PDB file of all heavy atoms in Angstrom:
ATOM      1  N   ALA A 484       5.441  -2.685  -5.200  1.00  0.00           N
ATOM      2  CA  ALA A 484       5.821  -3.527  -4.065  1.00  0.00           C
ATOM      3  C   ALA A 484       6.789  -2.789  -3.134  1.00  0.00           C
ATOM      4  O   ALA A 484       6.679  -2.887  -1.908  1.00  0.00           O
ATOM      5  CB  ALA A 484       6.442  -4.828  -4.559  1.00  0.00           C
ATOM      6  N   PHE A 485       7.731  -2.054  -3.698  1.00  0.00           N
ATOM      7  CA  PHE A 485       8.675  -1.311  -2.863  1.00  0.00           C
ATOM      8  C   PHE A 485       7.955  -0.227  -2.072  1.00  0.00           C
ATOM      9  O   PHE A 485       8.212  -0.046  -0.877  1.00  0.00           O
ATOM     10  CB  PHE A 485       9.802  -0.697  -3.699  1.00  0.00           C
ATOM     11  CG  PHE A 485      10.841  -0.037  -2.842  1.00  0.00           C
ATOM     12  CD1 PHE A 485      11.777  -0.799  -2.168  1.00  0.00           C
ATOM     13  CD2 PHE A 485      10.871   1.339  -2.693  1.00  0.00           C
ATOM     14  CE1 PHE A 485      12.725  -0.200  -1.352  1.00  0.00           C
ATOM     15  CE2 PHE A 485      11.808   1.952  -1.887  1.00  0.00           C
ATOM     16  CZ  PHE A 485      12.747   1.178  -1.209  1.00  0.00           C
ATOM     17  N   ILE A 486       7.040   0.471  -2.726  1.00  0.00           N
ATOM     18  CA  ILE A 486       6.274   1.506  -2.031  1.00  0.00           C
ATOM     19  C   ILE A 486       5.486   0.885  -0.883  1.00  0.00           C
ATOM     20  O   ILE A 486       5.452   1.413   0.226  1.00  0.00           O
ATOM     21  CB  ILE A 486       5.361   2.258  -3.019  1.00  0.00           C
ATOM     22  CG1 ILE A 486       6.227   3.143  -3.931  1.00  0.00           C
ATOM     23  CG2 ILE A 486       4.303   3.078  -2.284  1.00  0.00           C
ATOM     24  CD1 ILE A 486       5.495   3.731  -5.120  1.00  0.00           C
ATOM     25  N   LYS A 487       4.879  -0.270  -1.120  1.00  0.00           N
ATOM     26  CA  LYS A 487       4.148  -0.964  -0.050  1.00  0.00           C
ATOM     27  C   LYS A 487       5.079  -1.290   1.103  1.00  0.00           C
ATOM     28  O   LYS A 487       4.739  -1.084   2.272  1.00  0.00           O
ATOM     29  CB  LYS A 487       3.504  -2.240  -0.569  1.00  0.00           C
ATOM     30  CG  LYS A 487       2.755  -3.008   0.520  1.00  0.00           C
ATOM     31  CD  LYS A 487       2.766  -4.503   0.267  1.00  0.00           C
ATOM     32  CE  LYS A 487       2.006  -5.252   1.328  1.00  0.00           C
ATOM     33  NZ  LYS A 487       2.866  -5.846   2.344  1.00  0.00           N
ATOM     34  N   MET A 488       6.285  -1.788   0.808  1.00  0.00           N
ATOM     35  CA  MET A 488       7.221  -2.148   1.876  1.00  0.00           C
ATOM     36  C   MET A 488       7.605  -0.934   2.720  1.00  0.00           C
ATOM     37  O   MET A 488       7.676  -1.028   3.947  1.00  0.00           O
ATOM     38  CB  MET A 488       8.475  -2.799   1.292  1.00  0.00           C
ATOM     39  CG  MET A 488       8.241  -4.193   0.761  1.00  0.00           C
ATOM     40  SD  MET A 488       9.755  -5.059   0.301  1.00  0.00           S
ATOM     41  CE  MET A 488      10.249  -4.172  -1.157  1.00  0.00           C
ATOM     42  N   VAL A 489       7.845   0.192   2.081  1.00  0.00           N
ATOM     43  CA  VAL A 489       8.226   1.397   2.820  1.00  0.00           C
ATOM     44  C   VAL A 489       7.062   1.872   3.681  1.00  0.00           C
ATOM     45  O   VAL A 489       7.245   2.201   4.866  1.00  0.00           O
ATOM     46  CB  VAL A 489       8.717   2.507   1.869  1.00  0.00           C
ATOM     47  CG1 VAL A 489       8.918   3.818   2.609  1.00  0.00           C
ATOM     48  CG2 VAL A 489      10.014   2.081   1.187  1.00  0.00           C
ATOM     49  N   ILE A 490       5.861   1.892   3.118  1.00  0.00           N
ATOM     50  CA  ILE A 490       4.682   2.317   3.879  1.00  0.00           C
ATOM     51  C   ILE A 490       4.478   1.403   5.082  1.00  0.00           C
ATOM     52  O   ILE A 490       4.224   1.861   6.195  1.00  0.00           O
ATOM     53  CB  ILE A 490       3.422   2.346   2.973  1.00  0.00           C
ATOM     54  CG1 ILE A 490       3.557   3.406   1.880  1.00  0.00           C
ATOM     55  CG2 ILE A 490       2.154   2.531   3.792  1.00  0.00           C
ATOM     56  CD1 ILE A 490       3.599   4.833   2.366  1.00  0.00           C
ATOM     57  N   GLU A 491       4.615   0.102   4.886  1.00  0.00           N
ATOM     58  CA  GLU A 491       4.484  -0.854   5.989  1.00  0.00           C
ATOM     59  C   GLU A 491       5.582  -0.650   7.021  1.00  0.00           C
ATOM     60  O   GLU A 491       5.331  -0.688   8.231  1.00  0.00           O
ATOM     61  CB  GLU A 491       4.524  -2.295   5.457  1.00  0.00           C
ATOM     62  CG  GLU A 491       3.375  -2.671   4.558  1.00  0.00           C
ATOM     63  CD  GLU A 491       2.133  -3.121   5.303  1.00  0.00           C
ATOM     64  OE1 GLU A 491       2.235  -3.504   6.481  1.00  0.00           O
ATOM     65  OE2 GLU A 491       1.054  -3.085   4.690  1.00  0.00           O
ATOM     66  N   ALA A 492       6.826  -0.424   6.582  1.00  0.00           N
ATOM     67  CA  ALA A 492       7.942  -0.211   7.499  1.00  0.00           C
ATOM     68  C   ALA A 492       7.748   1.067   8.326  1.00  0.00           C
ATOM     69  O   ALA A 492       8.243   1.162   9.447  1.00  0.00           O
ATOM     70  CB  ALA A 492       9.257  -0.143   6.727  1.00  0.00           C
ATOM     71  N   MET A 493       7.020   2.023   7.769  1.00  0.00           N
ATOM     72  CA  MET A 493       6.741   3.266   8.494  1.00  0.00           C
ATOM     73  C   MET A 493       5.602   3.095   9.498  1.00  0.00           C
ATOM     74  O   MET A 493       5.272   4.027  10.218  1.00  0.00           O
ATOM     75  CB  MET A 493       6.416   4.383   7.497  1.00  0.00           C
ATOM     76  CG  MET A 493       7.599   4.800   6.657  1.00  0.00           C
ATOM     77  SD  MET A 493       7.182   6.040   5.406  1.00  0.00           S
ATOM     78  CE  MET A 493       6.882   7.475   6.446  1.00  0.00           C
ATOM     79  N   GLY A 494       4.992   1.919   9.536  1.00  0.00           N
ATOM     80  CA  GLY A 494       3.975   1.633  10.535  1.00  0.00           C
ATOM     81  C   GLY A 494       2.539   1.770  10.076  1.00  0.00           C
ATOM     82  O   GLY A 494       1.611   1.642  10.874  1.00  0.00           O
ATOM     83  N   TYR A 495       2.330   1.992   8.796  1.00  0.00           N
ATOM     84  CA  TYR A 495       0.967   2.116   8.277  1.00  0.00           C
ATOM     85  C   TYR A 495       0.436   0.736   7.930  1.00  0.00           C
ATOM     86  O   TYR A 495       1.144  -0.093   7.366  1.00  0.00           O
ATOM     87  CB  TYR A 495       0.935   3.013   7.038  1.00  0.00           C
ATOM     88  CG  TYR A 495       1.267   4.448   7.353  1.00  0.00           C
ATOM     89  CD1 TYR A 495       2.582   4.896   7.327  1.00  0.00           C
ATOM     90  CD2 TYR A 495       0.270   5.347   7.696  1.00  0.00           C
ATOM     91  CE1 TYR A 495       2.894   6.212   7.629  1.00  0.00           C
ATOM     92  CE2 TYR A 495       0.572   6.660   7.994  1.00  0.00           C
ATOM     93  CZ  TYR A 495       1.886   7.090   7.959  1.00  0.00           C
ATOM     94  OH  TYR A 495       2.195   8.385   8.260  1.00  0.00           O
ATOM     95  N   ASP A 496      -0.815   0.495   8.258  1.00  0.00           N
ATOM     96  CA  ASP A 496      -1.472  -0.782   7.982  1.00  0.00           C
ATOM     97  C   ASP A 496      -2.669  -0.493   7.090  1.00  0.00           C
ATOM     98  O   ASP A 496      -3.734  -0.122   7.579  1.00  0.00           O
ATOM     99  CB  ASP A 496      -1.902  -1.444   9.287  1.00  0.00           C
ATOM    100  CG  ASP A 496      -2.463  -2.827   9.083  1.00  0.00           C
ATOM    101  OD1 ASP A 496      -2.142  -3.461   8.058  1.00  0.00           O
ATOM    102  OD2 ASP A 496      -3.230  -3.284   9.952  1.00  0.00           O
ATOM    103  N   LEU A 497      -2.475  -0.636   5.796  1.00  0.00           N
ATOM    104  CA  LEU A 497      -3.510  -0.265   4.835  1.00  0.00           C
ATOM    105  C   LEU A 497      -4.154  -1.493   4.214  1.00  0.00           C
ATOM    106  O   LEU A 497      -3.531  -2.549   4.102  1.00  0.00           O
ATOM    107  CB  LEU A 497      -2.905   0.602   3.722  1.00  0.00           C
ATOM    108  CG  LEU A 497      -2.182   1.872   4.168  1.00  0.00           C
ATOM    109  CD1 LEU A 497      -1.594   2.584   2.951  1.00  0.00           C
ATOM    110  CD2 LEU A 497      -3.113   2.792   4.927  1.00  0.00           C
ATOM    111  N   GLU A 498      -5.367  -1.325   3.787  1.00  0.00           N
ATOM    112  CA  GLU A 498      -6.079  -2.363   3.041  1.00  0.00           C
ATOM    113  C   GLU A 498      -5.612  -2.328   1.586  1.00  0.00           C
ATOM    114  O   GLU A 498      -5.252  -1.271   1.067  1.00  0.00           O
ATOM    115  CB  GLU A 498      -7.589  -2.096   3.076  1.00  0.00           C
ATOM    116  CG  GLU A 498      -8.192  -2.100   4.451  1.00  0.00           C
ATOM    117  CD  GLU A 498      -8.439  -3.506   4.958  1.00  0.00           C
ATOM    118  OE1 GLU A 498      -8.736  -4.391   4.132  1.00  0.00           O
ATOM    119  OE2 GLU A 498      -8.326  -3.710   6.172  1.00  0.00           O
ATOM    120  N   HIS A 499      -5.651  -3.473   0.917  1.00  0.00           N
ATOM    121  CA  HIS A 499      -5.400  -3.489  -0.517  1.00  0.00           C
ATOM    122  C   HIS A 499      -6.520  -2.742  -1.227  1.00  0.00           C
ATOM    123  O   HIS A 499      -7.671  -2.746  -0.771  1.00  0.00           O
ATOM    124  CB  HIS A 499      -5.325  -4.921  -1.046  1.00  0.00           C
ATOM    125  CG  HIS A 499      -4.066  -5.631  -0.687  1.00  0.00           C
ATOM    126  ND1 HIS A 499      -2.839  -5.263  -1.172  1.00  0.00           N
ATOM    127  CD2 HIS A 499      -3.833  -6.691   0.116  1.00  0.00           C
ATOM    128  CE1 HIS A 499      -1.905  -6.060  -0.695  1.00  0.00           C
ATOM    129  NE2 HIS A 499      -2.483  -6.934   0.104  1.00  0.00           N
ATOM    130  N   GLY A 500      -6.184  -2.115  -2.348  1.00  0.00           N
ATOM    131  CA  GLY A 500      -7.175  -1.401  -3.133  1.00  0.00           C
ATOM    132  C   GLY A 500      -8.163  -2.349  -3.793  1.00  0.00           C
ATOM    133  O   GLY A 500      -7.874  -3.537  -3.982  1.00  0.00           O
ATOM    134  N   LYS A 501      -9.306  -1.825  -4.160  1.00  0.00           N
ATOM    135  CA  LYS A 501     -10.340  -2.655  -4.786  1.00  0.00           C
ATOM    136  C   LYS A 501     -10.028  -2.960  -6.244  1.00  0.00           C
ATOM    137  O   LYS A 501     -10.160  -4.095  -6.686  1.00  0.00           O
ATOM    138  CB  LYS A 501     -11.696  -1.959  -4.671  1.00  0.00           C
ATOM    139  CG  LYS A 501     -12.187  -1.900  -3.251  1.00  0.00           C
ATOM    140  CD  LYS A 501     -13.502  -1.176  -3.147  1.00  0.00           C
ATOM    141  CE  LYS A 501     -13.910  -1.138  -1.681  1.00  0.00           C
ATOM    142  NZ  LYS A 501     -14.733  -0.029  -1.341  1.00  0.00           N
ATOM    143  N   ASP A 502      -9.619  -1.949  -6.998  1.00  0.00           N
ATOM    144  CA  ASP A 502      -9.342  -2.141  -8.422  1.00  0.00           C
ATOM    145  C   ASP A 502      -7.889  -2.540  -8.682  1.00  0.00           C
ATOM    146  O   ASP A 502      -7.605  -3.250  -9.643  1.00  0.00           O
ATOM    147  CB  ASP A 502      -9.674  -0.865  -9.203  1.00  0.00           C
ATOM    148  CG  ASP A 502     -11.153  -0.533  -9.146  1.00  0.00           C
ATOM    149  OD1 ASP A 502     -11.968  -1.470  -9.138  1.00  0.00           O
ATOM    150  OD2 ASP A 502     -11.477   0.673  -9.106  1.00  0.00           O
ATOM    151  N   TYR A 503      -7.011  -2.054  -7.845  1.00  0.00           N
ATOM    152  CA  TYR A 503      -5.568  -2.317  -8.002  1.00  0.00           C
ATOM    153  C   TYR A 503      -4.992  -2.442  -6.604  1.00  0.00           C
ATOM    154  O   TYR A 503      -5.112  -1.521  -5.785  1.00  0.00           O
ATOM    155  CB  TYR A 503      -4.938  -1.164  -8.787  1.00  0.00           C
ATOM    156  CG  TYR A 503      -3.429  -1.115  -8.832  1.00  0.00           C
ATOM    157  CD1 TYR A 503      -2.666  -2.245  -9.101  1.00  0.00           C
ATOM    158  CD2 TYR A 503      -2.769   0.085  -8.623  1.00  0.00           C
ATOM    159  CE1 TYR A 503      -1.286  -2.180  -9.153  1.00  0.00           C
ATOM    160  CE2 TYR A 503      -1.388   0.163  -8.682  1.00  0.00           C
ATOM    161  CZ  TYR A 503      -0.658  -0.973  -8.937  1.00  0.00           C
ATOM    162  OH  TYR A 503       0.713  -0.909  -8.981  1.00  0.00           O
ATOM    163  N   TRP A 504      -4.383  -3.558  -6.303  1.00  0.00           N
ATOM    164  CA  TRP A 504      -3.991  -3.860  -4.936  1.00  0.00           C
ATOM    165  C   TRP A 504      -3.154  -2.760  -4.287  1.00  0.00           C
ATOM    166  O   TRP A 504      -3.239  -2.515  -3.089  1.00  0.00           O
ATOM    167  CB  TRP A 504      -3.253  -5.198  -4.861  1.00  0.00           C
ATOM    168  CG  TRP A 504      -1.846  -5.158  -5.395  1.00  0.00           C
ATOM    169  CD1 TRP A 504      -1.439  -5.428  -6.664  1.00  0.00           C
ATOM    170  CD2 TRP A 504      -0.673  -4.787  -4.674  1.00  0.00           C
ATOM    171  NE1 TRP A 504      -0.087  -5.252  -6.777  1.00  0.00           N
ATOM    172  CE2 TRP A 504       0.422  -4.868  -5.564  1.00  0.00           C
ATOM    173  CE3 TRP A 504      -0.422  -4.408  -3.362  1.00  0.00           C
ATOM    174  CZ2 TRP A 504       1.725  -4.580  -5.192  1.00  0.00           C
ATOM    175  CZ3 TRP A 504       0.879  -4.119  -2.981  1.00  0.00           C
ATOM    176  CH2 TRP A 504       1.935  -4.207  -3.896  1.00  0.00           C
ATOM    177  N   ALA A 505      -2.325  -2.040  -5.058  1.00  0.00           N
ATOM    178  CA  ALA A 505      -1.389  -1.074  -4.473  1.00  0.00           C
ATOM    179  C   ALA A 505      -1.908   0.353  -4.424  1.00  0.00           C
ATOM    180  O   ALA A 505      -1.214   1.239  -3.936  1.00  0.00           O
ATOM    181  CB  ALA A 505      -0.075  -1.111  -5.244  1.00  0.00           C
ATOM    182  N   GLU A 506      -3.129   0.603  -4.887  1.00  0.00           N
ATOM    183  CA  GLU A 506      -3.590   1.988  -4.986  1.00  0.00           C
ATOM    184  C   GLU A 506      -3.574   2.719  -3.646  1.00  0.00           C
ATOM    185  O   GLU A 506      -3.197   3.894  -3.587  1.00  0.00           O
ATOM    186  CB  GLU A 506      -4.964   2.071  -5.652  1.00  0.00           C
ATOM    187  CG  GLU A 506      -6.108   1.498  -4.842  1.00  0.00           C
ATOM    188  CD  GLU A 506      -7.431   1.526  -5.600  1.00  0.00           C
ATOM    189  OE1 GLU A 506      -7.762   2.557  -6.200  1.00  0.00           O
ATOM    190  OE2 GLU A 506      -8.112   0.495  -5.583  1.00  0.00           O
ATOM    191  N   ASN A 507      -3.947   2.075  -2.556  1.00  0.00           N
ATOM    192  CA  ASN A 507      -3.950   2.749  -1.253  1.00  0.00           C
ATOM    193  C   ASN A 507      -2.533   3.064  -0.771  1.00  0.00           C
ATOM    194  O   ASN A 507      -2.294   4.095  -0.152  1.00  0.00           O
ATOM    195  CB  ASN A 507      -4.702   1.920  -0.219  1.00  0.00           C
ATOM    196  CG  ASN A 507      -6.178   1.831  -0.537  1.00  0.00           C
ATOM    197  OD1 ASN A 507      -6.738   2.689  -1.208  1.00  0.00           O
ATOM    198  ND2 ASN A 507      -6.826   0.776  -0.074  1.00  0.00           N
ATOM    199  N   TYR A 508      -1.599   2.175  -1.054  1.00  0.00           N
ATOM    200  CA  TYR A 508      -0.200   2.411  -0.677  1.00  0.00           C
ATOM    201  C   TYR A 508       0.383   3.571  -1.489  1.00  0.00           C
ATOM    202  O   TYR A 508       1.098   4.418  -0.955  1.00  0.00           O
ATOM    203  CB  TYR A 508       0.632   1.147  -0.882  1.00  0.00           C
ATOM    204  CG  TYR A 508       0.166  -0.005  -0.038  1.00  0.00           C
ATOM    205  CD1 TYR A 508      -0.657  -0.994  -0.565  1.00  0.00           C
ATOM    206  CD2 TYR A 508       0.532  -0.100   1.304  1.00  0.00           C
ATOM    207  CE1 TYR A 508      -1.095  -2.052   0.214  1.00  0.00           C
ATOM    208  CE2 TYR A 508       0.097  -1.151   2.091  1.00  0.00           C
ATOM    209  CZ  TYR A 508      -0.712  -2.115   1.544  1.00  0.00           C
ATOM    210  OH  TYR A 508      -1.154  -3.157   2.315  1.00  0.00           O
ATOM    211  N   ILE A 509       0.078   3.590  -2.761  1.00  0.00           N
ATOM    212  CA  ILE A 509       0.570   4.664  -3.630  1.00  0.00           C
ATOM    213  C   ILE A 509      -0.038   6.002  -3.216  1.00  0.00           C
ATOM    214  O   ILE A 509       0.679   7.007  -3.107  1.00  0.00           O
ATOM    215  CB  ILE A 509       0.278   4.334  -5.114  1.00  0.00           C
ATOM    216  CG1 ILE A 509       1.124   3.139  -5.543  1.00  0.00           C
ATOM    217  CG2 ILE A 509       0.517   5.547  -5.998  1.00  0.00           C
ATOM    218  CD1 ILE A 509       0.705   2.507  -6.852  1.00  0.00           C
ATOM    219  N   ASN A 510      -1.332   6.011  -2.943  1.00  0.00           N
ATOM    220  CA  ASN A 510      -1.979   7.243  -2.492  1.00  0.00           C
ATOM    221  C   ASN A 510      -1.374   7.737  -1.182  1.00  0.00           C
ATOM    222  O   ASN A 510      -1.172   8.939  -0.998  1.00  0.00           O
ATOM    223  CB  ASN A 510      -3.487   7.047  -2.338  1.00  0.00           C
ATOM    224  CG  ASN A 510      -4.181   6.844  -3.674  1.00  0.00           C
ATOM    225  OD1 ASN A 510      -3.670   7.236  -4.720  1.00  0.00           O
ATOM    226  ND2 ASN A 510      -5.337   6.209  -3.646  1.00  0.00           N
TER     227      ASN A 510
END
């Protein structure tokens, strides 16, 4: 969740992952 917040705060708009919601944010 923290990684998602930082990625979003940096201006990235990513889709949730298919198998694990945070996989795209982590990648």
Side-chain angles (χ1 to χ4, degrees):
F485 185 77
I486 289 169
K487 179 211 181 260
M488 288 189 289
V489 172
I490 295 294
E491 295 276 340
M493 292 176 70
Y495 293 89
D496 186 23
L497 304 178
E498 299 280 327
H499 286 293
K501 292 178 181 153
D502 296 325
Y503 169 46
W504 74 268
E506 68 184 314
N507 293 335
Y508 299 98
I509 292 166
N510 292 338

